[in-house]
Amino acid sequence: MHRVPASYRPSAPGDWSELADGLVEASDLKATKRQRGAFYGTDLDLQLRRRGVTTVVIGGIATNMGVESTARTAHEHGYAVVLAEDAATSLSAEMHAFAFEHIFPHLGRVAKADEIEI
């Protein structure tokens, strides 16, 4: 198993459960993930389907890990996927660019956050 040196790990808030101010609406769903992706081991798919959601907008930490895992699963579940390129980050610029240039276009639409209309 490959381990990332501590010096390369992005800093994160305490237990990773707090979102930045302005990102949370009262009606938002909160899925606590315990794996790389937001779907596995959570009721996210069930909750989205109950609400009639057909499109998901994805951003986050670890572009080529959590973001990619969530995007792949969302695509496999039949959601329209929108990936916010400037609302994600990775361990390196090269890894981030590779995902957004070569993988994500096959899973959904890539856009800048301010180009996404909800």
Side-chain angles (χ1 to χ4, degrees):
M1 181 167 90
H2 176 72
R3 296 214 179 260
V4 176
S7 61
Y8 293 128
R9 293 185 186 139
S11 61
D15 64 0
W16 293 74
S17 66
E18 298 300 318
L19 295 175
D21 291 338
L23 289 180
V24 181
E25 299 288 334
S27 62
D28 286 351
L29 292 173
K30 183 176 181 182
T32 302
K33 65 185 196 104
R34 291 173 172 69
Q35 303 295 325
R36 298 236 189 261
F39 285 90
Y40 182 82
T42 72
D43 67 347
L44 181 58
D45 183 47
L46 174 67
Q47 295 300 329
L48 293 173
R49 291 187 190 284
R50 282 183 177 169
R51 289 163 174 80
V53 174
T54 58
T55 301
V56 294
V57 177
I58 303 173
I61 299 172
T63 301
N64 59 311
M65 292 182 213
V67 175
E68 184 175 330
S69 178
T70 300
R72 285 178 184 272
T73 306
H75 175 76
E76 291 165 356
H77 280 59
Y79 292 97
V81 177
V82 180
L83 295 128
E85 185 172 10
D86 55 345
T89 188
S90 193
L91 297 175
S92 74
E94 293 81 12
M95 293 165 74
H96 178 83
F98 184 86
F100 274 95
E101 292 169 13
H102 300 286
I103 296 171
F104 293 161
H106 298 283
L107 301 176
R109 181 169 66 96
V110 172
K112 302 288 185 197
D114 64 357
E115 299 169 348
I116 301 169
E117 292 186 28
I118 297 176

